[in-house]
Amino acid sequence: QARYALRANLLPVWVALMLWAWWRAIRDLHGAEPAAEPPAEPTAAAAPTGFGRARAVARRWRDSSLAWAALAGLFVGLAVHTHLTGRALPAVLAASALWVLVRERRPRVLARLALALLVALLVAWPQIAYFRAQPEMLSYRADQVSVLNPEVNGGDLPGTLLDNGWQLLKMPVVEGDSSWYHNIKRRPVFDDLPSKLAFLLGLLVFAGLLFGRAGRPAQSAAVLLAAALGVTLAPSWLSVGAPNYVRLTGIWPTLFLIPALGLDRAAGWLEARADPRRDLVRHAPLALLILAPAWLLVGSARAYFDDYAGRPEVYDAFNAAAVERGQALAALPAGPLYVTPALWNQSVIRFLNLQRPPRGVFDPRQGMVFPHNYRVPDPEGKLVELRALARYAFDPVERDAAEAFAERWPIAERADLGGRAGRPSADATNLISFTLYGNQIEAILAQLTELDPPIQFGPNLRLERLRTSSEPLQPGQSLDLALAWYALAPTALDHNFFLRLVSQADGSTLAQFDGPPLGGSYPTTVWNTGERILMPLQLEVAAGAPAGPASLVHGWYDWRDGQRLPIA
């Protein structure tokens, strides 16, 4: 399950450590009460010093049931931070303590339970405090998948619970999870013959322990394990799509103990019948305990590193295409790079481009961003200012947006970057990129009229170019415009802008735009110094607009309080 790269992978560690620590905390409560002995009077010669004292303290700590109870609580608290199942683990300790209280009549177990729960509460407190502040988040994920939700159970809660229970009964040796993301589809937990036989034999051994066939301490241990099995099974039983191996992550420590019990019993049976005079028979128990896990290891390696890893379904389930796209993006030549939000919002692609992130992320359907100029030395050593080339990258799923980009900017050089040979995806394109060179960028900007002088808003933004029409408009028609701003520096707050067509006769607004630049995909807080931002607009003139001349009014403002940027 490590392939998930989720913190839930740690849950089996905390569950196993919790069970171990809690058993160390309560195992002295089984059987007859030890006779009390008067404490021996310490003598000066017997008093430990130095390392001896440290060893004595460590020994007392090791033998202290309260210390082990506190450790069990620590592991419960860590499990709470790891997965939703961790919230239910206190029930395991409570069920075990109740059994000891009733069966062994040792009320001292309640003090150990209280200490464990107190430590768990303290460790989990940051999450508790968060949910107190955000109560709607407490059951946010659970409500989406819970069979108690009528939208999930389809109005048939008993039937859903019965079906989930049946699927979970089949999970160990018959049929497992149906998701390729979680495992080999339908593969049971114990898939080959040795593990199936070991599990079935282990079930019989486990049942014998529960019924007290091996004594009361072993019975209490079996009750503890049974409680852990039930509690860690519940998240899948009470949610949609059982068995779900991710929601069952906490069950693995106890579930895998069952075939271990079976192998141990089989080895003991062989050992009891071994003839010490015959070498092969004498070593049969050891051979079983070595060969059976080796068989399982080889079978699992073949299943997961060969069959599972090479399947197209797994490639799609884990979105391996995102890895290839991230690698293709990282392999683009150095230079100003702009990508679409759909591409950059994929965490895998971000991770693979941490060393060289793009210059900007914006929606090209809303407009364009051109990088700043840069200076290079000419053959005589003088610095010459050149317009930087720019690359624009699209996810292949945005093919329609890429086609629209190519149609709007036909001078851009297009490249469809393919994937590695033999990839199972039907579409071999990893990335669609466009390149605009300095002279091409200048040609695009030259289509707009340069304002002389340009209009500067506040200390950061400057309107440099404008394209509009001087043709007369009729009411109901649209005025096509384009504005090109120059970023002197990014702003501290993201600003909106407005553009209004105002009647010169009575000052009424005939048409207007009011909102963020580039549809909000590239706020002014991320504009890089020297960038040109080009945004086309359409202003639809009101149907009842009066005849006469009109003016364009443009401004920038803080959308939080309406405060406008002053014109310098």
Side-chain angles (χ1 to χ4, degrees), residues 12-312:
V13 178
W14 306 138
V15 172
L17 291 175
M18 176 200 73
L19 294 172
W20 167 68
W22 181 247
W23 178 247
R24 293 292 298 265
I26 66 171
R27 66 180 183 176
D28 66 314
L29 299 177
H30 300 86
E33 283 276 13
E37 295 182 3
E41 290 293 332
T43 63
T49 59
F51 286 110
R53 181 178 299 171
R55 285 197 297 271
V57 171
R59 208 161 31 242
R60 284 197 298 271
W61 190 92
R62 183 193 65 196
D63 297 333
S64 169
S65 57
L66 290 178
W68 286 106
L71 263 184
L74 169 66
F75 298 134
V76 171
L78 293 172
V80 170
H81 289 290
T82 302
H83 191 261
L84 291 175
T85 304
R87 303 179 195 174
L89 292 182
V92 177
L93 306 187
S96 172
L98 181 62
W99 172 265
V100 173
L101 179 66
V102 174
R103 185 76 172 83
E104 304 294 337
R105 299 184 180 179
R106 301 288 174 84
R108 284 184 296 165
V109 73
L110 296 180
R112 301 174 193 184
L113 175 65
L115 177 60
L117 296 182
L118 176 61
V119 173
L121 179 69
L122 292 175
V123 175
W125 186 255
Q127 193 168 134
I128 295 171
Y130 170 78
F131 288 130
R132 287 180 63 190
Q134 310 285 343
E136 72 280 359
M137 297 301 296
L138 179 61
S139 60
Y140 177 76
R141 175 58 180 158
D143 290 342
Q144 294 176 327
V145 298
S146 172
V147 295
L148 304 179
N149 184 346
E151 295 182 4
V152 174
N153 64 43
D156 183 15
L157 177 59
T160 304
L161 290 174
L162 285 173
D163 182 63
N164 274 2
W166 173 242
Q167 299 301 328
L168 288 168
L169 282 175
K170 295 191 297 179
M171 174 189 69
V173 296
V174 179
E175 184 178 84
D177 199 318
S178 61
S179 169
W180 283 104
Y181 178 71
H182 298 154
N183 200 42
I184 296 174
K185 187 174 183 178
R186 304 294 183 189
R187 186 183 195 268
V189 176
F190 307 107
D191 187 48
D192 42 21
L193 187 60
S195 61
K196 289 179 188 288
L197 294 176
F199 177 78
L200 295 175
L201 178 58
L203 273 183
L204 296 176
V205 176
F206 188 59
L209 296 177
L210 279 174
F211 284 105
R213 297 285 180 85
R216 286 162 65 172
Q219 186 180 30
S220 287
V223 168
L224 172 61
L225 295 176
L229 278 171
V231 168
T232 52
L233 187 77
S236 185
W237 181 51
L238 296 176
S239 62
V240 65
N244 183 300
Y245 283 175
V246 175
R247 295 173 199 146
L248 287 166
T249 302
I251 206 174
W252 303 141
T254 41
L255 190 65
F256 276 82
L257 271 178
I258 294 176
L261 287 172
L263 282 175
D264 181 68
R265 180 58 59 89
W269 184 87
L270 288 173
E271 188 175 21
R273 287 155 180 77
D275 186 347
R277 295 168 298 179
R278 301 171 62 185
D279 288 343
L280 288 178
V281 178
R282 184 178 63 185
H283 295 304
L286 181 61
L288 174 67
L289 294 179
I290 293 176
L291 293 178
W295 177 303
L296 303 180
L297 180 63
V298 171
S300 293
R302 186 186 305 115
Y304 288 104
F305 292 108
D306 183 16
D307 178 33
Y308 187 73
R311 284 185 172 267

Side-chain angles (χ1 to χ4, degrees), residues 483-501:
L483 296 90
W485 298 285
Y486 180 86
L488 296 165
T491 61
L493 297 172
D494 56 317
H495 283 72
N496 282 4
F497 77 93
F498 63 85
L499 191 67
R500 296 174 189 158
L501 190 64

